[in-house]
Amino acid sequence: GVRRRSALPNAPLVLFRVERGGGNTATQAGLGEPAVGIGMGFKLSAGGGFLVSNVQPGGPADRAGVRSNDVICTFNGEGITNKPGSYLSDVLATNDDAIVRFGLRREGATSL
């Protein structure tokens, strides 16, 4: 895989628990595919991880507190800062857990 620098290295990593469903989905930026019931879109971040490009109002990610421009660094406890661009959408498509966990970094935050 491609080695990238740490995503927002000075921002704290905070875990978010997202319960899938609720009828709200977003699309992944540039791909036009549903983000598999989590209510947010994302794209590969140049600094590592995946940048949240949009959050569906009232959707699962919104209810969990995820915001646009957060950087996803872990998925269900696994570091994903050096994964390829399709990794997160692929793993979400094959993972049928009702609840997924993301470790996010938020620019400018010292705590969330």
Side-chain angles (χ1 to χ4, degrees):
V2 175
R3 302 292 295 174
R4 294 185 295 272
R5 61 182 165 76
S6 178
L8 303 173
N10 296 325
L13 182 67
V14 178
L15 299 179
F16 284 82
R17 183 176 173 268
V18 177
E19 186 171 349
R20 290 185 185 194
N24 294 309
T25 59
T27 57
Q28 295 166 224
L31 299 179
E33 300 173 14
V36 199
I38 58 172
M40 69 178 175
F42 48 84
K43 61 184 178 183
L44 192 62
S45 172
F50 293 82
L51 179 69
V52 176
S53 56
N54 60 66
V55 177
Q56 180 71 34
D62 184 40
R63 291 191 306 266
V66 177
R67 296 182 193 164
S68 291
N69 296 316
D70 285 346
V71 177
I72 304 167
C73 297
T74 68
F75 173 75
N76 284 348
E78 178 184 0
I80 60 171
T81 57
N82 289 311
K83 298 291 186 183
S86 65
Y87 176 80
L88 190 54
S89 56
D90 291 346
V91 76
L92 283 166
T94 59
N95 177 302
D96 60 0
D97 292 344
I99 296 172
V100 293
R101 290 167 178 80
F102 295 100
L104 304 176
R105 293 194 192 275
R106 184 167 293 159
E107 189 169 1
T110 54
S111 66
L112 300 180

